[in-house]
């Protein structure tokens, strides 16, 4: 309360910088495990303090990952081979399979890019400023641009991570599938960039917290950490977000685009659980497995709590409400609750399947209500068709 009183007396610009610094410090303080904190600290400095994702047009990241060149060409992973064959059969062409002639008016309330369900009217009325109908449409448009921009940035990270993993993975079938994923991620980057550029005419910088995760993954030398981070954690985040936006949009081109991408992502997560299950359960020491359990938990909490659309806050509401009030508003919005449900419904069963939900770590997930999702199916039990069967 004393801090709030002090902040209210500051000029808006200074108050915003102090609130942002406090908010970023809270991210660090939320990490309970010192080893995870130490491993992510350099990325947090680059993303949260130096803001390299916003202040640089090109960011150089050193990865130092090993390359495995397989001269035996042994094929002894039949389930991975079948997944590779599915990937080859389901490649799609962004020019031919999507109707880019579709007329997209991002401010047409009859065919919204994202509906008012993201921020229902009664929820918006909690703001101390009253929005006109035109401003309401404009806010939805900007939220859609922000969300799709983060999808685009994430797909660029996935493109590089999948290329790194293809070099490092030890199975020949894994390298073959990895090549199809590199193509998938390149296509996803292409379509999100094209939709933002040609149809919405607005892009946002990468979110600082997303940058921290991507930087941490791309600079870690361990192949299984890259797999865990990108194939399980970030792809789980993406699937939750894609499903949420798909079901809250009425725009046909975007809905079709997201449906294609979701099918691809279903294979990518399947690839991740196939590659990691035996490795985590049979090849790691207990200490190494605990390290990965702790890292996955911290990233799960980060994904749950930190994607607060601060870029929208700074553009629309900074100086009107505090950052803490905004965080509370957006984290409890129906859309964000649906996003978290979609994300953890797929993520938690996958972590359990690959052996990272031991009795030791479960109480930590339980504090955030995440254990409720254990009853769901893991990626090895779901096809591309399963993942899109219940889209609305």
């Amino acid at each position: 309360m004393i801090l709030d009183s002090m902040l209210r007396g500051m000029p808006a610009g200074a108050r915003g910088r102090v609130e942002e610094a406090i908010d970023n410090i809270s991210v660090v303080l939320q990490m309970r495990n010192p080893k995870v904190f130490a491993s992510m600290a350099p990325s947090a400095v680059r993303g949260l303090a130096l803001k390299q994702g916003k202040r640089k047009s090109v960011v150089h990241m050193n990865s130092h990952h090993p390359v495995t060149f397989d001269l035996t060409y042994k094929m002894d992973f039949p389930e991975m081979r079948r997944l590779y064959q599915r990937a080859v059969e389901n490649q799609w062409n962004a020019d031919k399979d999507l109707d880019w002639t579709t007329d997209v008016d991002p401010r047409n309330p009859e065919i919204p890019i994202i509906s008012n369900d993201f921020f229902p009217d009664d929820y918006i009325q909690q703001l101390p400023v009253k929005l006109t109908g035109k401003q309401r449409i404009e806010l939805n448009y900007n939220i859609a641009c922000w969300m799709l921009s983060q999808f685009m940035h994430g797909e660029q990270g996935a493109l590089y991570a999948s290329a790194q993993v293809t070099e490092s993975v030890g199975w020949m079938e894994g390298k073959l599938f990895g090549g199809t994923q590199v193509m998938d991620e390149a296509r996803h980057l292409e379509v999100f960039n094209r939709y933002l550029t040609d149809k919405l005419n607005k892009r946002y910088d990468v979110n600082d917290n997303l940058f921290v995760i991507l930087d941490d993954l791309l600079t870690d030398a361990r192949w299984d950490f890259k797999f865990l981070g990108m194939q399980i954690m970030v792809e789980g985040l993406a699937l939750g977000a894609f499903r949420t936006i798909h079901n809250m949009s009425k725009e046909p081109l975007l809905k079709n685009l997201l449906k294609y991408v979701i099918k691809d992502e279903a294979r990518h997560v399947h690839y991740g659980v196939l590659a990691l299950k035996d490795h985590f359960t049979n090849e790691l020491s207990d200490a190494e497995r605990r390290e990965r359990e702790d890292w996955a938990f911290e990233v799960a909490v980060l994904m749950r709590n930190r994607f607060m659309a601060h870029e929208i806050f700074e553009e629309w509401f900074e100086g009107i409400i505090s950052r803490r009030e905004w965080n509370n508003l957006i984290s409890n919005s129906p859309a964000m609750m649906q996003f978290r449900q979609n994300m953890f419904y797929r993520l938690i069963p996958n972590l359990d399947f690959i052996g990272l939900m031991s009795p030791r770590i479960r109480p930590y997930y339980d504090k955030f209500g995440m254990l409720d999702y254990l009853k769901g199916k893991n990626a090895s039990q779901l096809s591309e068709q399963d993942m899109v069967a219940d889209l609305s």
Side-chain angles (χ1 to χ4, degrees):
M1 297 298 292
I2 296 174
L3 180 60
D4 288 343
S5 299
M6 294 174 60
L7 290 174
R8 287 193 201 99
M10 287 185 174
R15 173 181 169 180
R17 289 191 293 273
V18 172
E19 287 183 333
E20 181 180 15
I22 294 172
D23 200 40
N24 288 337
I25 291 171
S26 73
V27 176
V28 175
L29 295 178
Q30 286 173 11
M31 290 189 179
R32 64 176 186 88
N33 188 287
K35 288 186 178 180
V36 176
F37 167 74
S39 71
M40 295 189 72
S43 296
V45 169
R46 288 190 287 269
L48 300 178
L50 300 180
K51 292 191 172 295
Q52 290 189 350
K54 290 185 169 67
R55 293 176 181 167
K56 289 190 172 185
S57 57
V58 175
V59 178
H60 298 283
M61 300 178 183
N62 297 317
S63 58
H64 307 297
H65 63 277
V67 176
T68 302
F69 200 102
D70 187 346
L71 293 174
T72 67
Y73 302 94
K74 182 171 61 175
M75 299 286 189
D76 57 357
F77 201 153
E79 192 172 357
M80 186 78 78
R81 176 73 181 188
R82 289 192 293 272
L83 186 63
Y84 166 66
Q85 291 168 340
R86 276 168 45 195
V88 171
E89 292 167 0
N90 287 282
Q91 292 292 305
W92 51 282
N93 185 309
D95 279 325
K96 295 180 179 179
D97 295 312
L98 294 174
D99 184 6
W100 293 99
T101 65
T102 303
D103 182 29
V104 178
D105 180 355
R107 295 176 178 83
N108 181 357
E110 301 300 318
I111 311 176
I113 303 297
I114 186 170
S115 73
N116 283 352
D117 291 339
F118 195 95
F119 276 143
D121 289 335
D122 59 345
Y123 206 74
I124 284 289
Q125 289 169 7
Q126 298 179 36
L127 291 169
V129 58
K130 303 305 177 187
L131 301 181
T132 65
K134 185 175 181 181
Q135 288 173 323
R136 185 81 163 86
I137 293 170
E138 191 69 16
L139 177 61
N140 282 4
Y141 161 64
N142 281 271
I143 289 173
C145 292
W146 180 82
M147 292 286 288
L148 293 172
S149 293
Q150 304 319 309
F151 295 171
M152 179 187 67
H153 298 308
E155 296 295 351
Q156 184 174 185
L159 172 61
Y160 303 150
S162 60
Q164 291 178 356
V165 167
T166 301
E167 293 181 323
S168 300
V169 72
W171 305 282
M172 182 52 63
E173 295 97 331
K175 291 181 181 294
L176 296 179
F177 181 89
T180 70
Q181 184 176 349
V182 172
M183 184 63 242
D184 289 344
E185 306 297 5
R187 188 169 54 245
H188 299 172
L189 175 57
E190 172 199 356
V191 296
F192 283 122
N193 181 46
R194 185 171 177 181
Y195 191 87
L196 284 161
T197 302
D198 295 352
K199 302 301 183 181
L200 299 189
N201 301 306
K202 184 171 186 177
R203 288 191 318 211
Y204 281 85
D205 291 334
V206 62
N207 176 267
D208 293 336
N209 294 286
L210 177 59
F211 180 88
V212 170
I213 294 175
L214 295 176
D215 183 274
D216 188 41
L217 292 177
L218 293 173
T219 57
D220 197 301
R222 294 165 293 185
W223 75 268
D224 65 327
F225 259 86
K226 292 182 189 293
F227 247 80
L228 174 60
M230 187 55 67
Q231 304 297 124
I232 308 298
M233 308 302 294
V234 175
E235 296 283 21
L237 170 71
L239 280 171
F242 295 159
R243 293 179 69 83
T244 301
I245 297 301
H246 179 280
N247 292 341
M248 289 189 172
S249 179
K250 301 297 183 185
E251 201 288 290
L253 174 58
L254 178 60
K255 289 178 77 71
N256 200 28
L257 182 160
L258 288 170
K259 188 173 182 179
Y260 274 109
V261 172
I262 288 171
K263 287 181 178 181
D264 289 346
E265 302 293 9
R267 290 195 305 274
H268 302 168
V269 182
H270 191 172
Y271 175 40
V273 300
L274 287 184
L276 293 177
K277 180 175 175 59
D278 182 69
H279 177 72
F280 282 175
T281 55
N282 297 322
E283 298 182 27
L284 296 182
S285 68
D286 290 342
E288 289 172 326
R289 193 178 305 108
R290 284 196 299 270
E291 182 183 11
R292 284 147 181 80
E293 273 192 336
D294 290 334
W295 187 88
F297 170 74
E298 298 292 359
V299 173
V301 173
L302 184 65
M303 294 192 304
R304 178 187 184 275
N305 294 344
R306 298 307 308 169
F307 290 94
M308 299 294 181
H310 287 143
E311 293 79 6
I312 297 291
F313 163 75
E314 291 164 1
E315 190 175 43
W316 280 75
F317 302 111
E318 191 169 35
I320 299 173
I321 60 174
S322 70
R323 182 176 288 253
R324 187 176 65 178
E325 289 171 319
W326 169 260
N327 288 351
N328 184 63
L329 187 75
I330 194 167
S331 65
N332 293 300
S333 69
M336 291 304 291
M337 288 191 285
Q338 184 64 50
F339 157 64
R340 288 194 292 268
Q341 180 177 335
N342 286 335
M343 175 172 63
F344 291 116
Y345 185 64
R346 299 304 179 198
L347 175 63
I348 299 302
N350 289 331
L351 290 175
D352 187 40
F353 181 72
I354 63 177
L356 296 188
M357 290 292 290
S358 71
R360 179 190 72 91
I361 201 71
R362 288 191 181 204
Y364 296 100
Y365 283 97
D366 194 32
K367 289 179 182 178
F368 291 92
M370 296 185 197
L371 288 188
D372 295 341
Y373 300 103
L374 273 174
K375 60 192 175 199
K377 292 181 178 181
N378 68 71
S380 71
Q381 300 170 309
L382 297 164
S383 68
E384 296 92 331
Q385 290 69 34
D386 292 330
M387 293 297 292
V388 299
D390 59 348
L391 292 176
S392 61

